Amino acid sequence: MQKTEYINRTMKKTIATLLFALPLMVSAENYKSQVWSPDNGDGTFTNPVINADYSDPDVCVGASGEDFYLTASSFNCIPGLPILHSKDLVNWEIINYAIKALPPYDRYATPQHGNGVWAPSIRYNEYNHTYYIYWGDPDLGVFVVTAKDPAGEWTEPKCVIPGKGMIDTTPLWDEDGKCYLVNGWANSRCQFNSVLTVREMSADGMKQIGDPVIVFDGNGTNDRTAEGPKFYKRDGWYWIMCPAGGVPIGHQLAMRSKSPYGPYESKTVLAQGTTDINGPHQGGWIHLKSGEDWFLHFQDKEAYGRVVWLEPVKWVDNWPTMGEKVGKVKAYGKTEKYSGQPVLTYKKPNVGKEYPVCNPVESDEFNTSVLGKQWQWHANYDQTFGMPTPYGYYRVFCHRQSQDYKNLWEAGNLLLQKTPADNFTATAKLTMTAKDEGQYGGIICMGMDYSSIVLRRVGDEFQLQQITCKQADKGKPETVKVLATLKPTAADKIDYQPSLHCDLYMQLKVEYIGGKTKSGDNKHEAKVTFAYSKDGKKFTPCGDAFTMRQGKWIGAKIGICAAEPAGKKVRGWVDVDWFRVTK
């Protein structure tokens, strides 16, 4: 290790040790992203308001009437059920997670890609002053967690309706105190879908007391794949708002009835229209104190995941028209009287005042004892995944590969975050510590296809390698390409379990390349390229370009990987000094 590098690292450890003694809650207030910020600073915003994979978003107004809370599907990623906060529906920050571990713990101790938390709903129950989040685990049943403060502690998950196939659950507390629950159904688990059901729950929402009733059936129509319902009441009408027509190309329905059990009449209220915004649907409706109405929904951007859009809502003939009304919007060739289409730039919601720009945090200096809220693992957290330190870095331990190892689809210890924009650069400064042959760590772009650059110990040296896997979800093997051979920057002098260390800066760059499908629709493809540096100033491009691909029901993610061959070895690790997202 060079002398200047040693001095810099020692100084950072000293500073970090002092910071460690300060309060552990680190505020992300007023963080402005270098790569995507929707607030234009002139009273307008540009969609998407969150250019990251917050799939199946739902939103509620807080107890004060001036705070907004958003959650989204987290599937098998832990911590789960992210809680985002906003004062104006445009500027958002990650403030918490409602789940520390998924039950049953043993099932989710290893990656269960695509399982877990599907399409949650978040609601404030004014009768008992409690926040609720419901979700359906398609294999286990309907679960709920509660809290008095969304930023505080949430209860342990409780299964309130056991069974297979129930997904996309939303409660409604009526004026008489009764509670109803609407949900969709997963064909993959119960062999039917495209229907929505309503049932009565106990007043506290913790027990089913009525049988389900089918209130909508989209089978055999353009409203097939009706799912993701959200339940509301307005001026004596019960409203169910849900997506239909499929994730990539579908539309948003609104349906109304004078009874929670129907019958419901429905209208298409948001569709792609003449825009490039495919499948605008599934989200949450918000009513402001000012009288305005807004709708947050997702757009499926393939490898980038499902990003969050904000649409104005106007009521026409007691139907909500979402987005902008430009003539008569068409869906499936049919003119829809009440449908709007997505807005790109629009005036911000009237919440009574202006709030500072604030975006979800991406970069991390790892200077506190709490892992940043942008990070998730691919399974329930285990201490051997990694731990913070008081020295200004986070330690990720090597995943011990199984005897029949194929690829990293089996690894729970991947420290990952969502892609934050269409175009960005992620750079990490890290030290690989190898106690044995074959141990490696580095930076990765992870999905059903993945690629990484890593430092792997080979003898008494390190190889810089590119590890790539196509169809990881199908058990396909990795390919390894040697890019360079590097000498250790330090070596332990003692004989007991000696280590070799190698310091390196690693970088991945994501570039949107777009494209068109055979039918002329937009493709959301991205190219990933890699580079490395010994001094953090001059970066050398390396490896082959890689086409980014989504995970199972989630977008591709970026972050840190570390692994080692199966066997009884002293575990290696990678210390991540910092991880920075820039243009």
Side-chain angles (χ1 to χ4, degrees):
M1 186 182 294
Q2 296 180 354
K3 184 176 180 181
T4 55
E5 174 67 19
Y6 174 79
I7 293 173
N8 289 339
R9 189 167 182 181
T10 302
M11 290 179 63
K12 180 167 183 180
K13 285 185 177 182
T14 302
I15 295 170
T17 302
L18 294 173
L19 290 172
F20 200 79
L22 297 175
L24 300 182
M25 182 59 70
V26 178
S27 174
E29 186 178 0
N30 302 342
Y31 174 86
K32 184 172 182 180
S33 170
Q34 292 188 31
V35 295
W36 187 259
S37 184
D39 193 325
N40 297 321
D42 60 0
T44 68
F45 69 92
T46 297
N47 269 316
V49 289
I50 309 176
N51 202 2
D53 181 35
Y54 287 92
S55 177
D56 315 317
D58 191 39
V59 63
C60 76
V61 181
S64 68
E66 298 176 350
D67 296 280
F68 307 102
Y69 299 100
L70 180 147
T71 192
S73 295
S74 51
F75 300 101
N76 61 292
C77 299
I78 294 296
L81 284 176
I83 309 293
L84 282 75
H85 171 258
S86 177
K87 286 285 192 178
D88 61 7
L89 298 176
V90 171
N91 293 285
W92 292 90
E93 63 175 323
I94 313 170
I95 62 167
N96 201 5
Y97 287 88
I99 298 175
K100 295 178 181 177
L102 273 171
Y105 187 86
D106 289 347
R107 171 181 167 86
Y108 289 102
T110 56
Q112 301 292 319
H113 297 276
N115 298 328
V117 177
W118 284 29
S121 61
I122 182 168
R123 291 291 182 269
Y124 176 66
N125 183 350
E126 62 184 20
Y127 299 105
N128 63 5
H129 311 293
T130 302
Y131 292 87
Y132 288 70
I133 298 179
Y134 285 82
W135 74 95
D137 182 314
D139 296 304
L140 301 174
V142 177
F143 286 80
V144 65
V145 290
T146 65
K148 293 297 184 181
D149 176 6
E153 285 292 316
W154 289 78
T155 59
E156 292 295 316
K158 178 181 179 181
C159 183
V160 293
I161 311 175
K164 282 198 171 190
M166 294 171 288
I167 56 171
D168 308 355
T169 51
T170 304
L172 171 68
W173 280 273
D174 214 339
E175 288 95 337
D176 60 5
K178 289 185 176 182
C179 179
Y180 302 96
L181 190 79
V182 66
N183 69 275
W185 295 86
N187 183 68
S188 59
R189 293 346 192 254
C190 60
Q191 289 70 58
F192 66 86
N193 66 353
S194 298
V195 298
L196 307 179
T197 58
V198 170
R199 72 192 78 199
E200 187 175 354
M201 304 289 288
S202 57
D204 62 359
M206 291 297 176
K207 183 173 68 174
Q208 172 181 315
I209 62 174
D211 292 329
V213 175
I214 294 176
V215 297
F216 184 79
D217 184 355
N219 282 285
T221 73
N222 286 332
D223 295 329
R224 66 192 183 279
T225 324
E227 57 186 4
K230 300 296 186 292
F231 219 168
Y232 307 97
K233 195 172 185 184
R234 176 183 184 269
D235 295 339
W237 289 87
Y238 295 90
W239 289 88
I240 295 175
M241 299 184 185
C242 78
V247 170
I249 59 171
H251 53 278
Q252 179 68 25
L253 289 178
M255 52 189 76
R256 69 186 185 188
S257 174
K258 283 293 186 176
S259 165
Y261 297 111
Y264 284 86
E265 55 179 326
S266 65
K267 304 289 184 186
T268 297
V269 294
L270 179 66
Q272 179 172 347
T274 59
T275 73
D276 291 331
I277 312 309
N278 59 291
H281 58 54
Q282 189 157 340
W285 162 50
I286 287 292
H287 181 70
L288 306 185
K289 283 184 174 181
S290 64
E292 291 182 353
D293 291 280
W294 293 82
F295 184 69
L296 280 155
H297 67 92
F298 76 70
Q299 176 201 11
D300 182 13
K301 290 181 65 176
E302 299 168 281
Y304 292 99
R306 300 172 183 181
V307 303
V308 182
W309 284 62
L310 177 65
E311 309 290 351
V313 177
K314 306 294 183 184
W315 290 86
V316 180
D317 302 332
N318 196 32
W319 289 100
T321 296
M322 300 175 176
E324 61 182 344
K325 191 73 171 162
V326 182
K328 291 185 177 180
V329 176
K330 290 187 176 182
Y332 301 105
K334 177 184 175 183
T335 298
E336 299 289 351
K337 179 180 178 181
Y338 297 104
S339 180
Q341 63 185 29
V343 299
L344 183 60
T345 299
Y346 203 80
K347 65 179 181 180
K348 292 167 61 179
N350 177 11
V351 292
K353 61 181 292 188
E354 285 291 317
Y355 287 95
V357 171
C358 182
N359 309 129
V361 173
E362 312 117 348
S363 299
D364 201 336
E365 298 296 312
F366 300 109
N367 281 340
T368 76
S369 64
V370 177
L371 185 62
K373 291 182 175 63
Q374 64 269 54
W375 300 107
Q376 292 175 295
W377 306 99
H378 257 359
N380 281 340
Y381 171 72
D382 184 275
Q383 295 169 105
T384 60
F385 287 0
M387 302 178 194
T389 74
Y391 306 116
Y393 57 82
Y394 192 92
R395 177 163 294 176
V396 181
F397 290 103
C398 290
H399 163 70
R400 188 149 292 168
Q401 297 165 346
S402 61
Q403 292 292 341
D404 59 349
Y405 175 81
K406 297 293 191 303
N407 60 60
L408 287 173
W409 200 248
E410 71 171 35
N413 75 323
L414 301 174
L415 183 62
L416 304 173
Q417 63 171 284
K418 306 171 191 299
T419 59
D422 290 359
N423 300 285
F424 64 92
T425 300
T427 307
K429 180 185 178 187
L430 53 81
T431 300
M432 179 62 209
T433 294
K435 288 184 171 289
D436 213 328
E437 186 85 3
Q439 295 174 340
Y440 70 83
I443 194 168
I444 189 169
C445 181
M446 182 70 190
M448 290 186 285
D449 297 348
Y450 65 82
S451 192
S452 63
I453 56 170
V454 304
L455 285 167
R456 185 194 297 267
R457 179 173 174 175
V458 179
D460 292 330
E461 297 178 319
F462 286 90
Q463 286 184 356
L464 180 66
Q465 298 179 347
Q466 181 177 27
I467 301 177
T468 301
C469 184
K470 300 289 185 68
Q471 295 184 304
D473 57 315
K474 304 297 185 185
K476 300 298 183 181
E478 298 172 330
T479 61
V480 178
K481 182 177 183 179
V482 177
L483 307 176
T485 299
L486 303 174
K487 297 291 185 183
T489 50
D492 292 353
K493 295 181 180 179
I494 61 170
D495 294 332
Y496 178 71
Q497 298 179 354
S499 302
L500 292 181
H501 310 274
C502 193
D503 301 324
L504 204 65
Y505 298 81
M506 294 182 173
Q507 188 175 87
L508 68 79
K509 183 173 291 187
V510 173
E511 179 184 358
Y512 183 84
I513 57 178
K516 295 284 185 180
T517 65
K518 291 181 180 179
S519 61
D521 294 326
N522 284 341
K523 293 177 69 176
H524 301 285
E525 289 193 346
K527 179 179 68 173
V528 181
T529 53
F530 295 95
Y532 73 99
S533 172
K534 294 182 179 180
D535 60 8
K537 298 175 182 178
K538 181 181 179 181
F539 280 83
T540 302
C542 64
D544 299 323
F546 166 75
T547 300
M548 189 168 74
R549 188 181 175 204
Q550 64 266 37
K552 187 67 177 291
W553 305 127
I554 64 174
K557 301 181 84 169
I558 57 170
I560 304 299
C561 64
E564 61 187 39
K568 295 182 179 180
K569 301 178 179 180
V570 178
R571 198 183 296 266
W573 62 81
V574 58
D575 289 336
V576 190
D577 197 339
W578 46 255
F579 188 97
R580 296 171 184 165
V581 175
T582 58
K583 291 182 178 178

